[in-house]
Amino acid sequence: MSSAFVAPEQSPPTPLIHTCPVPADPGDLLPELQVTLTALTDLEVRHEIVLDCLEEWSGQDRVKRSLYAEREWAYQQARDAHLERLAGLRERIMGHH
């Protein structure tokens, strides 16, 4: 087994488009909600795969810790962006009532 660590491909976080919370029909926001939830789920699964790969990797602990910290930071940034998007969608849906 090779000792080289190769992380699965990661796509960069999807940039957020900031919009004013204008009341919207919740049904009209369903596609946006589905895309955002799918992206968040994909991010979570990819993160778990990366952590599993790092855990099984036989490289130096110092390097593993560095890679872990780098991946964790990127994961948190992407996760925060998706959660912010979900919060914006929730505001738009709640503004409808």
Side-chain angles (χ1 to χ4, degrees), residues 38-54:
T38 299
L40 184 58
T41 301
D42 183 60
L43 175 70
E44 297 291 335
V45 169
R46 286 177 183 267
H47 183 62
E48 287 299 319
I49 290 169
V50 167
L51 294 183
D52 287 346
C53 289
L54 275 174

Side-chain angles (χ1 to χ4, degrees), residues 11-19 32 35-36 39 77-86:
S11 5
T14 306
L16 296 176
I17 300 171
H18 294 283
T19 57
E32 277 186 81
V35 166
T36 304
Q77 294 298 309
R79 184 174 186 273
D80 289 348
H82 290 305
L83 292 177
E84 187 176 319
R85 180 71 181 145
L86 282 174

Side-chain angles (χ1 to χ4, degrees), residues 57-97:
W57 185 52
S58 61
Q60 297 177 357
D61 284 340
R62 177 181 52 84
V63 176
K64 284 173 85 168
R65 284 191 305 270
S66 176
L67 287 170
Y68 178 83
E70 181 182 302
R71 294 298 179 174
E72 189 65 27
W73 181 85
Y75 161 75
Q76 286 298 329
Q77 294 298 309
R79 184 174 186 273
D80 289 348
H82 290 305
L83 292 177
E84 187 176 319
R85 180 71 181 145
L86 282 174
L89 288 168
R90 182 179 186 278
E91 284 180 26
R92 289 171 61 193
I93 290 168
M94 297 307 287
H96 183 262
H97 297 295

